[in-house]
Amino acid sequence: MNGQRHATMVAAASLALTLTPLIGVFEGLGWTVPVLLTITVIAVAGSLMRAAGRGQGLQTLAMCAGLLVVLTAGFGDGTAFLFIIPLPATFEQFGILAGEGVAGIIANVPPVAPEGGILFLTLFGVGLVAILHDMFVVGLRTPALAGLTLLTMYLVPVSVAPEATAWFWFILPAVAYLWILADDNLRRVSAFGHRFTGAGQLVSQRFPSPLARTARWSAAGFILVTLAALTVIPVSTSGLLDQVAEDFGGGGGDAGLGDVNPWAQLSGSLNQPEKVDVLRVTTDDPTPRYLRMHVLDELTNDGFRPNEYEADGSINAIDENVEGDVYTAEIQNLQMEAPVVPVYGEPADLEIEGDWAVDADTDVIVGDGSDMGDVDSYTLTYTDPTPNAETLAGASGMDPSDAQWEANTEHPDVPELSELVDQELAGAETVHEKVLAIYDFLSVGNGFRYSLETSEAGSDEAILDFLKTKEGYCQQYAAAMAWMLREADVASRVVVGMSQGTRDGEDWILTNHDYHAWVEVYYEGPGWIPYDPTPSMGVPGSVTFPWAEEPAPEETPTNEAGEPVDPSDDAAESPTTPEGDPTAPTEDPTDGTTTQAPDSATSGGGTGFNPAWLLLLPLAALPFAPALWRGGLRRSRLHPGRLSAQTAWDEVVDLALDYGVGLTESLTPRQAAGVLGQAAPRAREAATALGAAMAQYRYSPRGADPAGLADAVRDLHAELDKNAEPRRRYRAMFWPASLRALIAARQAEQSARLARRSSSTADRVRSMVRRPRRSNSREDRSVTGRT
């Protein structure tokens, strides 16, 4: 094996070692097949171009083409020509998969299934890194730069999956890097020629340097010190993409690890992770309503988000002006980590560990350096007023002179929406009439339905798309109702929290699938009153407020018990789950998980492994092609129908070349047999018989009897293989020297044949264009001109 081919194998193997952190990112080991296949195809493509003597530019193009073939075969979804030649539609499919992959990275929590867009982006990224890695190690001979590619392959999985920060995952990438440096150094030293010790003794190329022992002890000491330091130096336990996802979801700095990102978007898709229990509630309230967490009062064209909370009110003062029945709730924290305290209704008293304060504008209880992740349980005393319809009908709205008026009525200017609101509120005079009109407009009775994703209707504004398609989940319903009320100068805002949950004996269990968004409208006197415009059939644990009964559709499907059933299949899933940590509210409607995610029904890349990948198996078999070729040649020579002393001796000569036994052309067959007998003492008789048969074949007119020669060759082969060093044995098996000599001889023969043809053609051309030579003889007169 030449140096470049050996370096190619080292580059591919070292890169494969750095993939171990992906074990913490993906479920199972199914991802290893396509990932290793990608690395193999790229390495083979680069190696073939180098074998053909092409430069680095063509090598890089060949490796890029190999990566494109892999992606096309695996994710082309039938859009490619012959499954591997991409067409324009193939690149459109790649774009869809890339969008799906980005959304999946943001929305899902490791470990994830190795399929669809996430697997596509993984193979694309691994392929690009493999190309750069091969370029650094083999093409440019700058192995030190390969540390960048290895570090990239290590840091990306570690950033996605925090558990991959364990020290164990760093060992293999480090070993791979040291392997690359050592191998390159050995190749460079080997190029210098023979090595001598200080005493002048000739040693092999692999003889250790006198400083090798010192280097090994220094390296071991450095590693031990590093590992010891890692045991005392704190490391981050949150992945980089966790933080990016929080910012993407709109949570900003207020959303802690596992908290819902307080953002009510007007478009997107809701991705639901595995259900996780978040809170356990024990209360004497027979029908607890919603747990209130975040208040979103800043409206943009994309939806609602919160203003910065100001923890300026003491929780010791929240028991003022309490009216109605008072309830007590013991709330046990199972998995929640949030900077706010979930509370029912109007809190009268709160017993909780840590420093907490009340935001005066929103009544949100915010941690002053505290987090729910530090709270095991807390006790809440609260009242949940139930205003009657008459009170609301006679109440006015917020006074425009109120300090909160602007913050709760400000909205973007969308003329088409203003016209729609004016049309729907025609005849509505009071605040309550306007609220009920918008509430009725967004109901199933008007054709609205619950769906886990929104659709586009060609409008420039997301809210217009939602109002035209009439499908979405709680974020869209809450944001649309609050915006439309603000268009009518009714103070309103969006609230994010948790629905009622499910019964567990005497307790209530709230999971990350119970995160929900609804609306609060301000009435002078009663204050902020909640409304839930989302169809109840799409919200597990949905609560119906007595002052706002949900209008029924004109024709509502019913089940066998006569209860209404949502016609939407999407409603079978719970409505709201945030992205983020699995231990967190990963189903909240206000989370970054609502960012665009392609429809799995229309995305061709939804499957994890395309059968077209099987077409790439011949590429994976390329490294074994020399061994198969050599074995076929041996079987052909020893076949009973073709066996002769000459074919058997040809195989013996090739075996000697494969296993490094020096047989010069000057040796007679018997002399060569003696050399083979020394290399394989237990096969001396077989070597002697083969040499005698070849001598008889050459010099006897009767030739030699081929009986037993095949067995003699096999015995000699087995003994040579047994006595060979492991490296020599594997080289003889997978890349035999005799095969290289055969290929070189055929190339030389073809070159000579081509040279002969070229020379013959040149002679013919010269003869055709050669001018006739002048002669001194003339028929009519002599040269002298005498007559």
Side-chain angles (χ1 to χ4, degrees):
M1 181 182 298
N2 62 30
Q4 287 190 332
R5 190 174 295 110
H6 174 76
T8 301
M9 292 186 60
V10 171
S14 61
L15 185 64
L17 286 177
T18 64
L19 298 175
T20 47
L22 289 176
I23 296 175
V25 176
F26 291 114
E27 296 176 352
L29 297 177
W31 56 272
T32 57
V33 175
V35 169
L36 293 179
L37 179 61
T38 301
I39 295 176
T40 302
V41 169
I42 291 174
V44 170
S47 181
L48 291 177
M49 293 304 292
R50 281 188 285 271
R54 300 298 183 258
Q56 183 58 51
L58 291 179
Q59 295 173 28
T60 303
L61 288 177
M63 290 186 286
C64 291
L67 174 60
L68 184 59
V69 167
V70 171
L71 296 178
T72 302
F75 300 94
D77 195 34
T79 60
F81 179 68
L82 297 179
F83 293 101
I84 60 174
I85 302 177
L87 299 175
T90 307
F91 294 101
E92 293 179 3
Q93 174 68 10
F94 288 169
I96 295 174
L97 287 171
E100 177 187 350
V102 171
I105 291 173
I106 294 174
N108 297 323
V109 177
V112 298
E115 60 185 10
I118 293 181
L119 182 60
F120 172 80
L121 290 181
T122 300
L123 296 189
F124 181 72
V126 169
L128 292 181
V129 173
I131 293 172
L132 293 175
H133 192 63
D134 185 276
M135 184 188 308
F136 292 150
V137 176
V138 188
L140 303 180
R141 291 295 299 274
T142 54
L145 292 179
L148 298 176
T149 54
L150 296 178
L151 186 63
T152 300
M153 292 305 302
Y154 171 75
L155 287 182
V156 172
V158 166
S159 299
V160 174
E163 64 273 16
T165 55
W167 63 271
F168 172 78
W169 296 124
F170 185 74
I171 292 180
L172 291 180
V175 170
Y177 186 50
L178 294 177
W179 181 18
I180 292 173
L181 296 178
D183 182 78
D184 181 77
N185 181 71
L186 183 60
R187 286 193 293 135
R188 292 179 185 274
V189 172
S190 299
F192 295 157
H194 297 293
R195 296 182 61 200
F196 296 87
T197 64
Q201 181 183 358
L202 177 66
V203 295
S204 68
Q205 299 287 355
R206 297 184 178 275
F207 186 81
S209 167
L211 298 177
R213 177 175 299 179
T214 303
R216 284 194 294 268
W217 280 107
S218 300
F222 177 77
I223 293 175
L224 291 176
V225 171
T226 302
L227 294 179
L230 291 177
T231 61
V232 297
I233 298 176
V235 296
S236 173
T237 59
S238 61
L240 173 63
L241 291 187
D242 291 336
Q243 301 174 19
V244 173
E246 289 180 6
D247 293 338
F248 187 87
D254 294 330
L257 179 66
D259 180 28
V260 298
N261 285 322
W263 176 255
Q265 293 183 335
L266 285 161
S267 63
S269 298
L270 188 63
N271 299 300
Q272 296 178 330
E274 182 181 356
K275 182 182 292 188
V276 176
D277 293 343
V278 177
L279 298 176
R280 174 181 290 273
V281 179
T282 304
T283 178
D284 53 3
D285 187 348
T287 56
R289 293 173 184 167
Y290 293 160
L291 272 173
R292 191 172 181 270
M293 294 178 65
H294 292 283
V295 172
L296 322 181
D297 51 11
E298 181 179 340
L299 174 59
T300 67
N301 292 74
D302 296 324
F304 281 82
R305 62 185 179 186
N307 283 301
E308 185 175 356
Y309 298 132
E310 295 183 2
D312 51 7
S314 172
I315 61 173
N316 296 326
I318 62 176
D319 59 344
E320 297 179 356
N321 302 321
V322 171
E323 298 179 359
D325 297 333
V326 178
Y327 305 102
T328 300
E330 295 283 345
I331 302 177
Q332 180 183 0
N333 185 7
L334 304 178
Q335 296 281 358
M336 177 175 287
E337 298 181 15
V340 298
V341 180
V343 296
Y344 287 112
E346 297 181 0
D349 186 33
L350 179 64
E351 297 178 8
I352 187 171
E353 298 177 358
D355 296 326
W356 303 88
V358 179
D359 178 72
D361 292 336
T362 61
D363 293 332
V364 173
I365 301 178
V366 188
D368 186 8
S370 298
D371 188 273
M372 282 296 297
D374 303 323
V375 177
D376 295 329
S377 63
Y378 60 98
T379 302
L380 172 68
T381 303
Y382 66 97
T383 181
D384 212 348
T386 304
N388 56 54
E390 291 77 10
T391 301
L392 297 179
S396 60
M398 181 180 290
D399 189 335
S401 62
D402 193 300
Q404 297 187 40
W405 167 262
E406 184 177 354
N408 291 282
T409 57
E410 188 176 11
H411 58 83
D413 184 19
V414 181
E416 189 173 347
L417 179 62
S418 300
E419 294 176 4
L420 176 62
V421 172
D422 292 340
Q423 177 183 341
E424 295 298 325
L425 297 185
E429 299 293 339
T430 66
V431 170
H432 194 53
E433 289 176 349
K434 294 178 181 180
V435 173
L436 293 182
I438 299 300
Y439 187 78
D440 291 345
F441 172 76
L442 296 173
S443 67
V444 293
N446 193 34
F448 281 82
R449 56 185 290 270
Y450 184 87
S451 174
L452 292 179
E453 62 183 276
T454 61
S455 302
E456 295 185 0
S459 303
D460 294 334
E461 297 290 342
I463 187 172
L464 298 180
D465 284 340
F466 169 68
L467 296 178
K468 289 178 181 179
T469 59
K470 297 185 176 183
E471 58 182 18
Y473 46 97
C474 61
Q475 287 192 51
Q476 287 78 51
Y477 282 96
M481 180 176 178
W483 189 343
M484 295 178 75
L485 289 174
R486 290 190 175 196
E487 287 280 354
D489 291 333
V490 176
S492 55
R493 60 194 186 186
V494 175
V495 179
V496 173
M498 306 186 76
S499 63
Q500 190 180 59
T502 56
R503 275 281 192 183
D504 183 22
E506 297 296 326
D507 299 338
W508 295 87
I509 296 295
L510 284 75
T511 73
N512 57 344
H513 285 199
D514 292 320
Y515 284 92
H516 189 45
W518 61 95
V519 178
E520 285 185 348
V521 181
Y522 186 83
Y523 291 84
E524 186 65 34
W528 291 99
I529 303 300
Y531 288 85
D532 188 0
T534 307
S536 59
M537 289 173 287
V539 183
S542 175
V543 173
T544 300
F545 299 106
W547 55 90
E549 296 291 339
E550 179 179 352
E554 296 180 0
E555 295 183 4
T556 303
T558 58
N559 56 21
E560 297 179 357
E563 299 173 345
V565 177
D566 187 2
S568 168
D569 292 336
D570 291 336
E573 300 291 343
S574 59
T576 48
T577 305
E579 124 278 311
D581 197 312
T583 65
T586 41
E587 196 250 340
D588 166 47
T590 66
D591 178 310
T593 52
T594 62
T595 53
Q596 293 291 345
D599 186 357
S600 59
T602 60
S603 173
T607 58
F609 195 77
N610 194 309
W613 284 75
L614 298 177
L615 297 177
L616 298 179
L617 289 180
L619 293 178
L622 281 179
F624 303 96
L628 296 175
W629 187 358
R630 182 70 179 86
L633 183 61
R634 181 182 301 114
R635 287 190 295 271
S636 175
R637 288 169 172 172
L638 301 183
H639 190 274
R642 298 188 56 188
L643 180 64
S644 67
Q646 180 65 56
T647 60
W649 188 251
D650 289 342
E651 179 62 25
V652 169
V653 172
D654 283 353
L655 286 175
L657 190 58
D658 292 341
Y659 289 96
V661 180
L663 297 181
T664 62
E665 295 182 357
S666 61
L667 295 178
T668 66
R670 296 183 186 276
Q671 291 173 334
V675 175
L676 290 170
Q678 293 179 356
R682 296 186 179 182
R684 188 184 303 274
E685 295 182 1
T688 302
L690 290 167
M694 186 58 193
Q696 187 177 4
Y697 178 83
R698 284 183 178 179
Y699 306 118
S700 172
R702 295 188 302 273
D705 184 6
L709 295 183
D711 292 336
V713 171
R714 296 188 183 96
D715 292 343
L716 178 62
H717 182 198
E719 188 63 18
L720 287 173
D721 187 76
K722 180 180 179 180
N723 294 337
E725 297 179 355
R727 184 175 180 181
R728 172 71 68 179
R729 183 184 304 119
Y730 291 128
R731 183 182 300 175
M733 180 185 302
F734 293 105
W735 191 234
S738 61
L739 199 59
R740 299 199 301 270
L742 176 62
I743 295 174
R746 290 184 178 180
Q747 290 178 344
E749 182 180 353
Q750 291 178 357
S751 299
R753 187 183 299 112
L754 180 60
R756 289 194 298 269
R757 290 179 179 177
S758 300
S759 178
S760 176
T761 302
D763 290 342
R764 286 196 299 269
V765 171
R766 282 195 297 268
S767 64
M768 293 174 61
V769 301
R770 182 179 300 164
R771 297 178 60 184
R773 178 181 297 178
R774 292 184 61 184
S775 175
N776 288 333
S777 64
R778 300 186 179 181
E779 297 180 359
D780 55 345
R781 58 185 177 181
S782 65
V783 174
T784 61
R786 298 176 182 177
T787 57

Coordinates of all heavy atoms in Angstrom, one line a residue, residues 696-750:
Q696 N 11.1 -29.7 -14.7 CA 10.8 -30.7 -15.7 C 9.9 -30.2 -16.8 O 10.1 -30.6 -18.0 CB 10.0 -31.8 -14.9 CG 9.8 -33.1 -15.8 CD 9.1 -34.2 -15.1 OE1 8.8 -34.0 -13.9 NE2 9.0 -35.3 -15.7
Y697 N 9.0 -29.2 -16.5 CA 8.2 -28.6 -17.5 C 9.0 -27.9 -18.5 O 8.7 -27.9 -19.7 CB 7.2 -27.7 -16.8 CG 6.2 -27.0 -17.8 CD1 5.1 -27.6 -18.3 CD2 6.5 -25.7 -18.2 CE1 4.2 -27.0 -19.2 CE2 5.7 -25.0 -19.1 CZ 4.5 -25.7 -19.6 OH 3.7 -25.0 -20.4
R698 N 10.1 -27.2 -18.0 CA 10.9 -26.4 -18.9 C 11.8 -27.2 -19.8 O 12.0 -27.0 -21.0 CB 11.7 -25.4 -18.1 CG 11.0 -24.2 -17.6 CD 12.0 -23.3 -16.8 NE 11.3 -22.1 -16.3 CZ 11.9 -21.1 -15.6 NH1 13.2 -21.2 -15.4 NH2 11.2 -20.1 -15.2
Y699 N 12.4 -28.3 -19.2 CA 13.5 -28.9 -19.9 C 13.2 -30.3 -20.4 O 14.0 -30.9 -21.1 CB 14.8 -29.0 -18.9 CG 15.1 -27.7 -18.4 CD1 15.1 -27.4 -17.0 CD2 15.5 -26.6 -19.2 CE1 15.4 -26.2 -16.5 CE2 15.9 -25.4 -18.7 CZ 15.8 -25.1 -17.4 OH 16.2 -23.9 -16.9
S700 N 12.1 -30.9 -20.0 CA 11.8 -32.3 -20.4 C 10.8 -32.2 -21.6 O 9.8 -31.4 -21.5 CB 11.1 -33.1 -19.3 OG 10.7 -34.3 -19.7
P701 N 11.0 -32.9 -22.6 CA 10.1 -32.9 -23.7 C 8.7 -33.4 -23.4 O 7.7 -33.1 -24.0 CB 10.8 -33.7 -24.8 CG 11.7 -34.6 -24.0 CD 12.1 -33.8 -22.9
R702 N 8.7 -34.3 -22.3 CA 7.4 -34.8 -21.9 C 6.6 -33.9 -21.0 O 5.5 -34.2 -20.7 CB 7.6 -36.2 -21.2 CG 8.2 -37.3 -22.1 CD 8.2 -38.6 -21.4 NE 8.9 -38.6 -20.2 CZ 10.2 -38.8 -20.1 NH1 10.9 -39.0 -21.2 NH2 10.8 -38.7 -18.9
G703 N 7.2 -32.9 -20.5 CA 6.6 -32.0 -19.6 C 6.5 -32.6 -18.2 O 7.2 -33.5 -17.8
A704 N 5.6 -32.0 -17.3 CA 5.4 -32.5 -15.9 C 4.0 -32.8 -15.7 O 3.1 -32.2 -16.2 CB 5.9 -31.4 -15.0
D705 N 3.8 -33.8 -14.8 CA 2.5 -34.3 -14.4 C 1.9 -33.2 -13.4 O 2.6 -33.0 -12.3 CB 2.6 -35.6 -13.8 CG 1.2 -36.2 -13.4 OD1 0.2 -35.5 -13.8 OD2 1.1 -37.2 -12.7
P706 N 0.8 -32.6 -13.6 CA 0.2 -31.6 -12.7 C -0.4 -32.2 -11.5 O -0.9 -31.4 -10.6 CB -0.8 -30.8 -13.6 CG -1.2 -31.9 -14.6 CD -0.1 -32.7 -14.8
A707 N -0.5 -33.5 -11.3 CA -1.2 -34.1 -10.2 C -0.5 -33.6 -8.9 O 0.7 -33.8 -8.7 CB -1.2 -35.6 -10.3
G708 N -1.3 -33.2 -8.0 CA -0.8 -32.8 -6.6 C -0.3 -31.4 -6.6 O 0.1 -30.9 -5.5
L709 N -0.1 -30.7 -7.7 CA 0.5 -29.4 -7.7 C -0.5 -28.4 -7.0 O 0.0 -27.4 -6.3 CB 0.8 -28.9 -9.1 CG 1.9 -29.7 -9.8 CD1 2.2 -29.1 -11.2 CD2 3.2 -29.8 -9.0
A710 N -1.8 -28.5 -7.2 CA -2.7 -27.5 -6.6 C -2.6 -27.6 -5.0 O -2.6 -26.6 -4.3 CB -4.1 -27.8 -7.1
D711 N -2.6 -28.9 -4.5 CA -2.5 -29.0 -3.1 C -1.2 -28.5 -2.6 O -1.1 -27.9 -1.5 CB -2.6 -30.5 -2.7 CG -4.0 -31.0 -3.0 OD1 -5.0 -30.2 -3.0 OD2 -4.2 -32.2 -3.2
A712 N -0.1 -28.7 -3.3 CA 1.2 -28.1 -2.9 C 1.2 -26.6 -2.9 O 1.8 -26.0 -1.9 CB 2.3 -28.6 -3.9
V713 N 0.5 -26.0 -3.8 CA 0.4 -24.5 -3.8 C -0.4 -24.1 -2.6 O 0.0 -23.1 -1.9 CB -0.2 -24.0 -5.1 CG1 -0.6 -22.5 -5.0 CG2 0.6 -24.3 -6.3
R714 N -1.5 -24.8 -2.3 CA -2.3 -24.4 -1.1 C -1.5 -24.5 0.2 O -1.6 -23.7 1.1 CB -3.5 -25.2 -1.1 CG -4.5 -25.0 -2.3 CD -5.8 -25.7 -2.1 NE -6.7 -25.5 -3.2 CZ -6.8 -26.4 -4.2 NH1 -6.1 -27.5 -4.2 NH2 -7.6 -26.1 -5.3
D715 N -0.7 -25.6 0.3 CA 0.1 -25.8 1.5 C 1.1 -24.7 1.6 O 1.4 -24.2 2.7 CB 0.8 -27.2 1.4 CG -0.2 -28.3 1.6 OD1 -1.3 -28.1 2.0 OD2 0.2 -29.5 1.2
L716 N 1.8 -24.3 0.5 CA 2.8 -23.3 0.6 C 2.1 -21.9 0.9 O 2.7 -21.2 1.7 CB 3.5 -23.2 -0.8 CG 4.5 -22.1 -0.9 CD1 5.7 -22.3 0.1 CD2 5.0 -22.0 -2.3
H717 N 1.0 -21.7 0.4 CA 0.2 -20.4 0.7 C -0.1 -20.4 2.2 O 0.1 -19.3 2.9 CB -1.0 -20.4 -0.1 CG -1.8 -19.1 0.1 ND1 -3.2 -19.0 -0.3 CD2 -1.5 -17.9 0.6 CE1 -3.6 -17.8 0.0 NE2 -2.6 -17.1 0.6
A718 N -0.6 -21.5 2.8 CA -1.0 -21.5 4.2 C 0.2 -21.2 5.1 O 0.1 -20.5 6.1 CB -1.7 -22.8 4.5
E719 N 1.3 -21.8 4.7 CA 2.5 -21.7 5.6 C 3.1 -20.3 5.5 O 3.5 -19.7 6.5 CB 3.6 -22.7 5.2 CG 4.7 -22.8 6.1 CD 4.4 -23.2 7.5 OE1 3.3 -23.8 7.7 OE2 5.2 -23.0 8.4
L720 N 3.1 -19.7 4.3 CA 3.6 -18.3 4.1 C 2.7 -17.3 4.9 O 3.2 -16.4 5.5 CB 3.6 -17.9 2.6 CG 4.7 -18.6 1.8 CD1 4.5 -18.2 0.3 CD2 6.1 -18.1 2.3
D721 N 1.4 -17.6 4.8 CA 0.5 -16.7 5.5 C 0.6 -16.8 7.0 O 0.5 -15.8 7.8 CB -1.0 -17.0 5.1 CG -2.0 -16.0 5.6 OD1 -2.1 -14.9 5.1 OD2 -2.7 -16.4 6.6
K722 N 0.9 -18.0 7.5 CA 1.0 -18.2 8.9 C 2.3 -17.6 9.5 O 2.3 -17.1 10.6 CB 1.0 -19.7 9.2 CG 1.2 -20.1 10.7 CD 1.1 -21.6 10.9 CE 1.3 -22.0 12.3 NZ 1.3 -23.5 12.5
N723 N 3.4 -17.6 8.7 CA 4.6 -17.1 9.2 C 4.8 -15.6 9.0 O 5.7 -15.0 9.5 CB 5.8 -17.8 8.5 CG 5.9 -19.3 8.8 OD1 5.4 -19.7 9.9 ND2 6.5 -20.1 8.0
A724 N 3.9 -15.0 8.2 CA 4.0 -13.6 7.9 C 3.5 -12.7 9.1 O 2.7 -13.1 9.9 CB 3.1 -13.2 6.7
E725 N 4.1 -11.5 9.2 CA 3.6 -10.5 10.2 C 2.2 -10.1 9.9 O 1.8 -10.1 8.7 CB 4.6 -9.3 10.2 CG 6.0 -9.6 10.6 CD 6.9 -8.4 10.5 OE1 6.3 -7.3 10.1 OE2 8.0 -8.4 10.9
P726 N 1.4 -9.7 10.9 CA 0.0 -9.3 10.7 C -0.1 -8.2 9.6 O -1.0 -8.3 8.7 CB -0.4 -8.8 12.0 CG 0.5 -9.5 13.0 CD 1.8 -9.6 12.3
R727 N 0.8 -7.2 9.6 CA 0.7 -6.2 8.6 C 0.9 -6.7 7.2 O 0.2 -6.4 6.2 CB 1.7 -5.1 8.9 CG 1.5 -3.9 8.0 CD 2.5 -2.8 8.4 NE 2.4 -1.6 7.5 CZ 3.1 -0.5 7.7 NH1 4.0 -0.4 8.7 NH2 3.0 0.5 6.8
R728 N 1.9 -7.6 7.1 CA 2.2 -8.2 5.8 C 1.0 -9.1 5.3 O 0.7 -9.2 4.1 CB 3.5 -9.0 5.9 CG 3.8 -9.8 4.6 CD 4.2 -9.0 3.5 NE 5.5 -8.4 3.7 CZ 6.1 -7.6 2.8 NH1 5.5 -7.3 1.6 NH2 7.3 -7.0 3.1
R729 N 0.5 -9.8 6.3 CA -0.6 -10.7 6.0 C -1.8 -10.0 5.4 O -2.4 -10.3 4.4 CB -1.0 -11.5 7.2 CG -2.1 -12.6 7.0 CD -2.5 -13.2 8.3 NE -1.4 -13.8 9.0 CZ -1.0 -13.5 10.2 NH1 -1.6 -12.5 10.9 NH2 0.1 -14.1 10.7
Y730 N -2.2 -8.8 6.1 CA -3.4 -8.1 5.7 C -3.1 -7.4 4.3 O -4.0 -7.3 3.5 CB -3.8 -7.0 6.7 CG -4.3 -7.6 8.0 CD1 -3.8 -7.3 9.2 CD2 -5.4 -8.6 7.9 CE1 -4.3 -7.9 10.4 CE2 -5.9 -9.1 9.1 CZ -5.4 -8.8 10.3 OH -5.9 -9.4 11.4
R731 N -1.8 -7.0 4.1 CA -1.5 -6.4 2.9 C -1.6 -7.4 1.7 O -2.1 -7.1 0.6 CB -0.1 -5.8 2.9 CG 0.3 -5.0 1.7 CD 1.8 -4.5 1.8 NE 1.9 -3.6 2.9 CZ 3.0 -3.1 3.3 NH1 4.2 -3.4 2.7 NH2 3.1 -2.3 4.3
A732 N -1.1 -8.6 2.0 CA -1.2 -9.7 1.0 C -2.7 -10.0 0.7 O -3.0 -10.5 -0.4 CB -0.5 -10.9 1.5
M733 N -3.5 -9.8 1.6 CA -4.9 -10.2 1.5 C -5.7 -9.1 0.7 O -6.4 -9.4 -0.3 CB -5.6 -10.5 2.8 CG -7.1 -10.9 2.7 SD -7.8 -11.0 4.4 CE -6.8 -12.3 5.1
F734 N -5.6 -7.9 1.1 CA -6.4 -6.8 0.6 C -5.8 -6.0 -0.5 O -6.5 -5.4 -1.3 CB -6.9 -5.9 1.7 CG -7.8 -6.5 2.8 CD1 -7.3 -6.9 4.0 CD2 -9.1 -6.8 2.4 CE1 -8.1 -7.5 4.9 CE2 -9.9 -7.4 3.4 CZ -9.4 -7.7 4.6
W735 N -4.5 -5.9 -0.6 CA -3.8 -5.2 -1.6 C -2.5 -5.9 -2.0 O -1.4 -5.4 -1.7 CB -3.6 -3.7 -1.2 CG -3.2 -2.8 -2.4 CD1 -2.1 -2.0 -2.4 CD2 -3.9 -2.6 -3.6 NE1 -2.0 -1.3 -3.6 CE2 -3.1 -1.7 -4.4 CE3 -5.0 -3.2 -4.2 CZ2 -3.5 -1.3 -5.6 CZ3 -5.4 -2.8 -5.5 CH2 -4.6 -1.8 -6.2
P736 N -2.6 -7.0 -2.6 CA -1.4 -7.9 -2.9 C -0.4 -7.2 -3.8 O -0.9 -6.6 -4.8 CB -2.0 -9.2 -3.4 CG -3.3 -8.8 -3.9 CD -3.8 -7.7 -3.1
A737 N 0.9 -7.4 -3.6 CA 1.9 -6.8 -4.4 C 1.9 -7.4 -5.8 O 2.2 -6.7 -6.8 CB 3.3 -7.0 -3.8
S738 N 1.5 -8.7 -5.9 CA 1.5 -9.3 -7.2 C 0.5 -8.7 -8.1 O 0.7 -8.6 -9.3 CB 1.2 -10.8 -7.1 OG -0.1 -11.0 -6.5
L739 N -0.6 -8.3 -7.5 CA -1.7 -7.6 -8.3 C -1.2 -6.2 -8.8 O -1.5 -5.9 -10.0 CB -3.0 -7.5 -7.5 CG -4.3 -7.2 -8.3 CD1 -4.5 -8.4 -9.2 CD2 -5.4 -7.1 -7.3
R740 N -0.5 -5.5 -8.0 CA 0.1 -4.3 -8.4 C 1.1 -4.4 -9.5 O 1.1 -3.7 -10.5 CB 0.7 -3.5 -7.2 CG -0.3 -3.2 -6.1 CD 0.3 -2.1 -5.2 NE 1.6 -2.5 -4.6 CZ 1.7 -3.1 -3.4 NH1 0.6 -3.5 -2.7 NH2 2.9 -3.4 -3.0
A741 N 1.9 -5.5 -9.4 CA 2.9 -5.8 -10.4 C 2.2 -6.2 -11.7 O 2.6 -5.8 -12.8 CB 3.8 -6.9 -10.0
L742 N 1.1 -6.9 -11.6 CA 0.3 -7.3 -12.8 C -0.3 -6.1 -13.5 O -0.2 -6.0 -14.7 CB -0.8 -8.3 -12.4 CG -1.7 -8.7 -13.5 CD1 -0.9 -9.5 -14.6 CD2 -2.8 -9.6 -13.0
I743 N -0.8 -5.2 -12.7 CA -1.4 -4.0 -13.3 C -0.3 -3.1 -13.9 O -0.5 -2.6 -15.0 CB -2.2 -3.2 -12.2 CG1 -3.4 -4.0 -11.6 CG2 -2.6 -1.8 -12.7 CD1 -4.1 -3.3 -10.5
A744 N 0.8 -3.0 -13.2 CA 1.9 -2.2 -13.8 C 2.4 -2.8 -15.1 O 2.7 -2.1 -16.1 CB 3.0 -2.1 -12.8
A745 N 2.5 -4.2 -15.1 CA 3.0 -4.8 -16.3 C 2.0 -4.6 -17.5 O 2.4 -4.4 -18.6 CB 3.2 -6.3 -16.1
R746 N 0.7 -4.7 -17.2 CA -0.3 -4.5 -18.2 C -0.2 -3.0 -18.7 O -0.4 -2.8 -19.9 CB -1.6 -4.8 -17.7 CG -1.8 -6.3 -17.5 CD -3.3 -6.6 -17.1 NE -3.5 -8.1 -17.0 CZ -4.6 -8.7 -16.6 NH1 -5.7 -7.9 -16.4 NH2 -4.7 -10.0 -16.5
Q747 N 0.0 -2.1 -17.8 CA 0.1 -0.7 -18.2 C 1.3 -0.5 -19.1 O 1.2 0.2 -20.1 CB 0.1 0.2 -17.0 CG -1.2 0.3 -16.2 CD -1.1 1.1 -15.0 OE1 0.0 1.5 -14.5 NE2 -2.3 1.5 -14.4
A748 N 2.4 -1.1 -18.7 CA 3.6 -1.0 -19.5 C 3.4 -1.6 -20.9 O 3.9 -1.0 -21.9 CB 4.8 -1.6 -18.8
E749 N 2.8 -2.7 -20.9 CA 2.5 -3.4 -22.2 C 1.6 -2.5 -23.1 O 1.9 -2.4 -24.3 CB 1.9 -4.8 -21.9 CG 1.6 -5.5 -23.2 CD 1.0 -6.9 -23.0 OE1 0.8 -7.3 -21.7 OE2 0.6 -7.6 -23.9
Q750 N 0.6 -2.0 -22.5 CA -0.3 -1.1 -23.2 C 0.5 0.1 -23.7 O 0.3 0.6 -24.8 CB -1.5 -0.7 -22.4 CG -2.4 -1.8 -22.1 CD -3.6 -1.4 -21.2 OE1 -3.6 -0.2 -20.7 NE2 -4.5 -2.3 -20.9

